[in-house]
Amino acid sequence: MYACASYAGANPNSLHTPGREAARALEGARKEISQLLGGSARPSELIFTSGGTEADNLAVIGLSEAVRMQRGARDAVVISAIEHEAVLACAPELRRRGFEVRIAASSCRGIIEPAALESTLDERCALVSIMTANNETGMVQPIAELAAAAHAHGALFHTDAVQAFTRIPLSAGPVDALSISAHKVGGPVGIGALYLKTGIRLQPLLHGGGQERGLRPGTQNVSGALAFAAAAQASACAHRVHADALRVRSSMLVEKLVLADLGICPTVDAAYDGGRLPGTVHIAVSGIEAGAVLLRLDAAGFAISSGSACSAGSRDSSHVLSAMGVPRERSLGALRISFDERVSDSELSAFADALIGCVGSLRR
Ligand code: PLP
């Protein structure tokens, strides 16, 4: 559709007609995406970026710097132990810039409890960054309470909602900033966004033209933004209809795997009130390396992952599972299974049978 549009390829900052049309299309996408962030989010609060990683870096470093510029005594940043690398890897850069980085511990259920955050907070904290839902375990964090704890100490609160966006209802209300990414909702790689609440100052990381209110300079990716908005709407719509069924089917899958009595166990407690991302199952096969299971399942036509796909290739056990206190021997056998409504019951059942057969033969 975009390729056929009269404004395809036009720079949305140009004054000519195709440029103005491109700008209108870009603002339409901004509006559609902001409407999926909960009632209070406004289009003017969305800054397009190149993806979730850039949105996280911009929030974590840019907000910390802006707070320190305004209130010099605030030079500590809190991140959680279960963050994605896009946040975790900001820590060395923050330290290089003179910030103290504090880590909020995870419970054994994979949750950052408000009390654990509380113990890291004081009047020196500039920013707290805790993800909305974990990319490995799917555990949803108590964001409203965590944000309230940060605010009570005068710190800003950012959340990486890359995994949660469109899969569970979000509310931008309690947070100051929130990161999202298009390819996690079925859109293209290379575009994401940072929600930044009106009035919150941010120090840009890039320097150039005045695009995106000068906070993220560079000619905007109009086709990417349009595809992002369309994919996000379709994904949110599908999840509104199918989320409950996906949760039930996830529980049934786990039950079947556990009943096989081959040492396959869920790594996280599914009974947690705050919930899990629908269609995300996280299990560990004790005594067997995840890679061996993955390759056999791949040959059988099933693509699943060990730990986080973004750090695949790393042989270390997952930092998320270590933070939850899962023994290394168990976490090396951790598998993340994701599916959505396009996977039929019979396909899911065939997958469970293949996994059980594979673990059974590896045990023999
Ligand atoms: N944050 C989380 C929780 C993720 O799962 C990912 C990617 O999977 C990212 C950030 C990085 O997003 P992107 O790949 O768009 O840079």
Side-chain angles (χ1 to χ4, degrees):
M1 254 168 66
Y2 171 76
C4 302
S6 56
Y7 55 83
N11 183 337
N13 307 289
S14 297
L15 285 182
H16 48 57
T17 302
R20 291 201 311 272
E21 285 174 357
R24 254 196 305 280
L26 181 68
E27 293 321 306
R30 203 188 300 276
K31 184 172 173 199
E32 284 169 18
I33 296 169
S34 66
Q35 282 167 347
L36 297 171
L37 293 177
S40 62
R42 289 183 251 158
S44 60
E45 297 178 311
L46 208 69
I47 302 163
F48 283 115
T49 65
S50 64
T53 300
E54 187 191 337
D56 282 343
N57 274 246
L58 182 56
V60 173
I61 300 171
L63 288 172
S64 304
E65 288 284 12
V67 172
R68 188 171 57 176
M69 271 175 201
Q70 291 168 75
R71 299 181 281 164
R74 290 197 179 257
D75 61 355
V77 180
V78 181
I79 62 178
S80 90
I82 58 167
E83 293 305 303
H84 186 271
E85 309 294 344
V87 167
L88 276 186
C90 292
E93 174 60 16
L94 285 168
R95 289 192 192 101
R96 196 188 64 75
R97 291 171 182 241
F99 289 93
E100 180 194 338
V101 179
R102 302 176 185 170
I103 307 292
S106 166
S107 73
C108 58
R109 299 182 307 163
I111 300 296
I112 310 302
E113 302 286 357
L117 173 62
E118 194 67 48
S119 68
T120 67
L121 295 172
D122 61 22
E123 69 291 341
R124 278 185 53 210
C125 287
L127 174 75
V128 173
S129 179
I130 299 178
M131 68 201 324
T132 302
N134 184 263
N135 47 302
E136 295 185 36
T137 63
M139 293 303 265
V140 177
Q141 308 297 319
I143 291 302
E145 286 142 277
L146 295 167
H151 290 153
H153 288 269
L156 296 180
F157 189 87
H158 162 254
T159 187
D160 172 343
V162 166
Q163 288 287 332
F165 182 50
T166 74
R167 297 173 76 190
I168 55 171
L170 291 181
S171 173
V175 307
D176 300 298
L178 176 152
S179 307
I180 53 178
S181 172
H183 72 102
K184 290 290 155 186
V185 300
V189 174
I191 182 149
L194 179 68
Y195 160 84
L196 182 70
K197 185 160 275 151
T198 305
I200 302 293
R201 295 237 189 110
L202 176 77
Q203 187 63 24
L205 301 185
L206 298 180
H207 305 282
Q211 296 93 341
E212 301 297 295
R213 295 186 283 135
L215 298 172
R216 201 288 184 176
T219 305
Q220 294 95 334
N221 174 357
V222 180
S223 63
L226 293 175
F228 186 6
Q233 280 186 324
S235 170
C237 199
H239 274 94
R240 271 195 289 273
V241 176
H242 300 289
D244 289 343
L246 287 175
R247 286 203 176 89
V248 172
R249 295 172 71 204
S250 299
S251 303
M252 287 165 62
L253 172 62
V254 171
E255 201 176 327
K256 180 168 175 176
L257 296 174
V258 171
L259 283 177
D261 210 14
L262 285 166
I264 306 174
C265 296
T267 46
V268 280
D269 169 12
Y272 166 60
D273 284 348
R276 308 265 310 276
L277 287 180
T280 301
V281 166
H282 199 263
I283 52 165
V285 187
S286 59
I288 291 182
E289 284 228 4
V293 182
L294 272 186
L295 291 178
R296 287 180 180 224
L297 286 176
D298 184 49
F302 299 104
I304 62 166
S305 85
S306 60
S308 154
C310 304
S311 53
S314 131
R315 285 210 193 132
D316 291 343
S317 61
S318 140
H319 70 276
V320 175
L321 296 183
S322 321
M324 289 163 56
V326 175
R328 185 178 153 81
E329 188 261 350
R330 255 193 93 207
S331 84
L332 286 176
L335 296 168
R336 186 186 59 168
I337 302 154
S338 318
F339 63 96
D340 63 20
E341 68 286 352
R342 292 169 295 178
V343 175
S344 69
D345 282 341
S346 60
E347 284 167 331
L348 203 57
S349 170
F351 164 74
D353 292 338
L355 177 52
I356 290 167
C358 160
V359 173
S361 71
L362 284 166
R363 290 235 182 273
R364 281 193 288 276

